């Protein structure tokens, strides 16, 4: 759409740096509505990254920021606003409204000690028009209320929704909302937020490295593995959501058949049936070519001498295999020993950092000479090393 404001994660962060600073000059934070194709990671970004941006802006910990998600699809206005209760007072009948369930959630969040609260209105464009009218007061920085009750100055409101053009049961936003919010469309092909999330959530590294390798390259009609837009027909297409499902299915396949098993027709059909033929065939070929990379078994059996591929792409796959091979403190040490030998500097730094993070997150007993060597070579990452080894 020619009039869309399309943003990537870096631009969105810069937008929020400015927007959050409104509080320092006595102005409210303007709500942001993040639109995009279904499955493009809009909700994931706002849930997982926005608390960090708020913490950085206001000098607190991300743990001090609580996200309350308000999904709108399938709800009616009373579920958001509160229910009307017939009441008799002195022989006169009135209608009194219960408190909005969401106001009660806000109260509980404040009682839990949240310094800042994010209200994430999810699926805004798919909601019934009466529900949209109810939440419109939340999306107006000058009123910032729900059911007539103020949200509070430490409450930050944002929303997500599917674009109308994607035929995802979406409706155009009313003019009174568009006139009050920052409306931006998420670039579905960017990966700078998805990749860290994918590693942290155990997405199969073969999937991650394929998506990274094809960023900016032509895949069917898209620039990258992720589809630029929803196809005109009813065929499958690659989104962050559908690719995540493929990863889980791959994990099941390798569990049944072994880490280095070639894909059978059933697994190939699962891949293309989730992410479409164009992206699916790219991923299938990538996994096939993984045979040219260093296997998990070789990395763990002899990390000091296991093969280092010449190809950058095969080094990326080998690095992913090193990450997959780390399942406890001992194997993590061997994985880093191998990864430190990779000649592609960016790949080496990235995968060693992720293995250290993985070890810390899982609280493995981890004391690796290779990790110490890595930190000596890259002292700017010392804080990461200390954080994860002392976690």
């Amino acid at each position: 759409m020619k009039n869309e404001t399309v943003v990537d994660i870096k631009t969105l962060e810069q937008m929020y740096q400015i927007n959050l600073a409104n509080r320092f000059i006595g102005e409210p934070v303007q709500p942001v509505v993040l639109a995009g194709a279904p499955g493009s990671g809009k909700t994931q970004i706002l849930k997982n990254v926005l608390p960090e941006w708020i913490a950085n802006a206001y000098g607190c910990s991300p743990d001090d920021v609580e996200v309350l998600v308000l999904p709108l699809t399938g709800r009616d206005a009373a579920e958001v606003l509160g229910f009307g209760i017939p009441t008799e007072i002195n022989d006169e009948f009135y209608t009194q409204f219960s408190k909005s369930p969401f106001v009660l959630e806000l109260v509980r969040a404040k009682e839990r000690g949240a310094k800042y609260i994010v209200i994430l209105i999810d699926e805004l464009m798919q909601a019934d028009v009466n529900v949209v009218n109810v939440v419109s007061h939340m999306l107006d920085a000058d009123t910032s209320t729900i059911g007539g009750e103020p949200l509070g100055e430490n409450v930050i409101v944002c929303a997500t929704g599917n674009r109308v053009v994607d035929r995802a049961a979406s409706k155009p936003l009313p003019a009174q909302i568009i006139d009050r919010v920052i409306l931006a469309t998420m670039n579905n092909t960017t990966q700078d937020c998805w990749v860290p999330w994918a590693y942290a959530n155990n997405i199969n590294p073969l999937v991650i490295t394929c998506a990274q390798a094809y960023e900016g390259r032509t895949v069917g009609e898209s620039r990258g593995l992720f589809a630029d837009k929803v196809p005109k027909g009813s065929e499958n297409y690659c989104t962050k959501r559908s690719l995540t499902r493929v990863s889980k299915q791959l994990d099941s396949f390798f569990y049944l058949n072994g880490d280095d098993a070639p894909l059978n027709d059933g697994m190939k059909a699962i891949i293309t049936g989730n992410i479409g033929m164009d992206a699916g065939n790219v991923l299938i070929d990538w996994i096939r070519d993984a045979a040219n990379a260093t296997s998990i078994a070789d990395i763990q059996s002899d990390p000091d001498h296991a093969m280092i591929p010449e190809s950058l792409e095969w080094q990326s796959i080998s690095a992913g295999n090193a990450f997959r091979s780390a399942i406890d403190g001992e194997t993590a040490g061997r994985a880093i020993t191998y990864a430190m030998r990779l000649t592609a500097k960016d790949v080496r730094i990235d995968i060693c950092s992720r293995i250290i993070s993985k070890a810390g997150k899982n609280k493995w007993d981890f004391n690796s000479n290779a990790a110490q060597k890595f930190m000596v070579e890259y002292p700017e990452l010392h804080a990461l090393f200390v954080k994860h080894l002392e976690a």
Side-chain angles (χ1 to χ4, degrees):
M1 299 291 289
K2 64 180 180 180
N3 288 327
E4 286 182 321
T5 299
V6 180
V7 299
D8 57 17
I9 191 70
K10 181 178 179 181
T11 304
L12 187 65
E13 181 178 10
Q14 292 171 345
M15 286 169 51
Y16 263 108
Q17 286 174 342
I18 299 166
N19 192 25
L20 292 168
N22 282 359
R23 294 182 72 249
F24 300 133
I25 60 171
E27 294 295 326
V29 176
Q30 187 179 8
V32 173
V33 176
L34 189 60
S40 56
K42 306 178 293 293
T43 303
Q44 170 198 310
I45 288 171
L46 292 176
K47 281 179 63 177
N48 297 318
V49 182
L50 182 53
E52 295 183 12
W53 296 343
I54 293 171
N56 291 338
Y58 299 148
C60 63
S61 165
D63 293 335
D64 295 325
V65 183
E66 184 165 344
V67 180
L68 299 179
V69 181
L70 177 59
L72 296 187
T73 299
R75 292 193 172 195
D76 60 32
E79 290 182 84
V80 179
L81 187 61
F83 294 90
I85 304 170
T87 304
E88 181 182 0
I89 303 176
N90 298 328
D91 296 326
E92 297 287 341
F93 288 91
Y94 302 88
T95 298
Q96 291 187 332
F97 285 88
S98 66
K99 275 191 178 291
S100 162
F102 210 70
V103 170
L104 298 177
E105 285 296 317
L106 272 174
V107 171
R108 294 187 189 104
K110 292 173 182 177
E111 289 174 347
R112 288 191 290 267
K115 292 182 179 178
Y116 298 94
I117 299 170
V118 175
I119 296 180
L120 171 51
I121 302 172
D122 206 17
E123 303 158 344
L124 176 65
M125 282 82 150
Q126 297 98 284
D128 179 81
V129 62
N130 293 323
V131 178
V132 173
N133 287 334
V134 166
V135 301
S136 64
H137 298 288
M138 300 172 67
L139 290 163
D140 186 342
D142 293 328
T143 57
S144 193
T145 60
I146 181 171
E149 300 201 31
L151 298 177
E153 64 176 8
N154 289 348
V155 175
I156 296 157
V157 180
C158 58
T160 66
N162 295 335
R163 302 174 300 183
V164 176
V165 70
D166 292 322
R167 306 182 315 283
S170 301
K171 297 173 281 293
L173 287 176
Q176 72 268 25
I177 289 183
I178 293 177
D179 191 43
R180 289 165 169 77
V181 302
I182 302 170
L183 180 59
T185 298
M186 194 67 207
N187 183 343
N188 187 43
T189 63
T190 58
Q191 300 175 51
D192 38 10
C193 179
W194 181 79
V195 168
W197 175 88
Y199 272 110
N201 287 274
N202 297 317
I203 302 304
N204 192 295
L206 286 170
V207 170
I208 300 172
T209 53
C210 181
Q212 287 179 295
Y214 278 85
E215 185 170 17
R217 295 163 62 176
T218 300
V219 178
E221 297 182 355
S222 299
R223 291 289 291 170
L225 199 65
F226 298 113
D228 297 314
K229 57 187 176 182
V230 176
K232 293 181 179 179
S234 58
E235 65 268 24
N236 297 93
Y237 59 102
C238 187
T239 67
K240 297 173 177 70
R241 181 188 296 138
S242 61
L243 192 61
T244 297
R245 292 196 177 109
V246 164
S247 169
K248 303 304 181 184
Q249 297 278 25
L250 274 173
D251 289 344
S252 296
F253 173 81
F254 290 128
Y255 172 81
L256 291 173
N257 299 282
D259 288 327
D260 300 317
L263 302 183
N264 59 25
D265 289 343
M267 188 63 235
K268 291 177 183 178
I270 286 175
I271 291 173
T272 57
N274 271 287
I275 63 175
M277 295 300 296
D278 292 331
N281 286 331
V282 166
L283 179 59
I284 289 167
D285 290 345
W286 181 264
I287 295 171
R288 179 202 63 206
D289 290 343
N292 297 301
T294 310
S295 69
I296 289 174
D298 287 346
I299 290 170
Q300 285 297 320
S301 64
D302 191 2
D304 289 307
H305 302 96
M307 176 189 69
I308 301 295
E310 293 184 8
S311 163
L312 175 60
E313 290 188 350
W314 294 346
Q315 281 202 35
S316 294
I317 298 174
S318 299
N321 285 342
F323 182 87
R324 288 173 65 200
S325 76
I327 58 175
D328 55 28
E330 185 176 350
T331 53
R334 288 198 288 268
I336 289 184
T337 297
Y338 173 80
M340 280 294 291
R341 296 175 49 229
L342 294 170
T343 56
K345 181 179 178 181
D346 289 345
V347 175
R348 180 171 69 247
I349 293 174
D350 180 68
I351 208 64
C352 286
S353 299
R354 296 192 189 284
I355 294 169
I356 292 172
S357 297
K358 185 178 184 181
K361 180 180 179 181
N362 290 283
K363 301 189 185 313
W364 292 334
D365 184 9
F366 178 62
N367 186 15
S368 164
N369 290 333
Q372 297 285 353
K373 179 182 176 183
F374 171 70
M375 298 315 302
V376 169
E377 187 171 340
Y378 303 105
E380 67 274 16
L381 297 176
H382 181 71
L384 172 78
F385 180 75
V386 171
K387 175 184 175 181
H388 290 288
L389 290 193
E390 294 183 353

